[in-house]
Amino acid sequence: MPEVDAPTKNEIIIIYESLKIIGQIYADIWNVGCQLGLRISDLLNIEFSHIDLDAHNTPINLTLIETKTRKRHTIRINDNALKVIRQRKADNPHHQFLFQVESNRQKGQAIHRNSVFNAFKKASATLDKNIGTHSMRKAKGMMMYEASVPIALIAKVLNHASEACTLRYLGITKNEVLQSYDDFAVDM
């Protein structure tokens, strides 16, 4: 599978606006996915019953077992994601899944990742980047990295096994590490 790129903050907005034209469900997936940094398989498997939407003025956490790693992972649902989730519940009170489709072939099931991939590709066609369903997760990690969040915390957020794995994931190469010696020289 080809490696996907992490969009910049500006590109995240461009893709989001394009996805709203393609379909609100795709824009909502993009929004929540960028907020939470989950893998697409875990994002699409979220059910409304997994989230205490009646909780007010308290942080809402979501604990899941990751599809890929089978590791337990607890995340905080931030206010931006919660707004989308509450709106989807209000618009679709009979849905089981957060991102459920109504088509005859998939009625009652979560939207398929291939549909999401195709929408993301279409929405990002004008960008010079390889955007896919994993770009949301990568964007979360890269935004944190660019904000100087410690690698150890980014690794925990992404539920990576090690900091080395996170550095590889973000594409932090040996040359970038070596370049930092020049970039952060102390003039005395």
Side-chain angles (χ1 to χ4, degrees):
M1 176 172 24
E3 188 171 314
V4 298
D5 297 318
T8 64
K9 286 183 182 181
N10 186 47
E11 290 167 336
I12 288 171
I13 302 302
I14 291 168
I15 294 168
Y16 175 73
E17 293 300 326
S18 295
L19 286 168
K20 287 197 307 190
I21 295 166
I22 295 169
Q24 189 61 47
I25 191 170
Y26 300 111
D28 289 347
I29 291 168
W30 181 258
N31 188 344
V32 174
C34 288
Q35 302 295 336
L36 303 182
L38 294 172
R39 288 180 186 87
I40 190 69
S41 56
D42 298 322
L43 184 63
L44 298 183
N45 281 325
I46 295 174
E47 297 181 21
F48 285 112
S49 64
H50 298 160
I51 306 166
D52 182 8
L53 292 174
D54 296 326
H56 295 284
N57 300 324
T58 59
I60 296 179
N61 295 337
L62 172 66
T63 300
L64 49 93
I65 304 297
E66 292 180 330
T67 305
K68 178 181 177 185
T69 65
R70 305 307 306 157
K71 293 191 295 188
R72 185 180 180 87
H73 190 81
T74 299
I75 62 167
R76 170 77 38 91
I77 300 177
N78 67 32
D79 290 341
N80 293 338
L82 196 54
K83 180 180 175 185
V84 173
I85 293 167
R86 284 193 167 125
Q87 187 61 54
R88 290 202 59 77
K89 181 64 174 173
D91 293 346
N92 306 287
H94 62 285
H95 281 189
Q96 174 184 355
F97 293 96
L98 175 57
F99 300 112
Q100 186 168 317
V101 291
E102 294 292 332
S103 70
N104 286 337
R105 287 187 297 156
Q106 279 191 291
K107 193 165 184 80
Q109 297 177 22
I111 193 168
H112 196 274
R113 67 187 302 145
N114 290 346
S115 299
V116 177
F117 175 82
N118 290 335
F120 287 8
K121 278 296 186 194
K122 185 175 181 181
S124 64
T126 60
L127 302 176
D128 189 27
K129 289 202 171 172
N130 184 21
I131 301 296
T133 55
H134 205 69
S135 293
M136 301 174 291
R137 179 173 168 82
K138 209 161 201 179
K140 176 79 170 179
M142 192 54 83
M143 283 190 298
M144 293 175 73
Y145 176 75
E146 289 172 353
S148 299
V149 172
I151 290 295
L153 180 57
I154 299 170
K156 292 271 188 209
V157 168
L158 297 177
N159 212 20
H160 284 164
S162 69
E163 293 176 30
C165 177
T166 303
L167 288 169
R168 250 188 338 275
Y169 180 79
L170 295 176
I172 310 307
T173 65
K174 181 179 180 181
N175 287 339
E176 288 173 294
V177 172
L178 293 174
Q179 181 63 43
S180 73
Y181 287 97
D182 295 327
D183 294 345
F184 297 99
V186 179
D187 294 326
M188 293 186 216

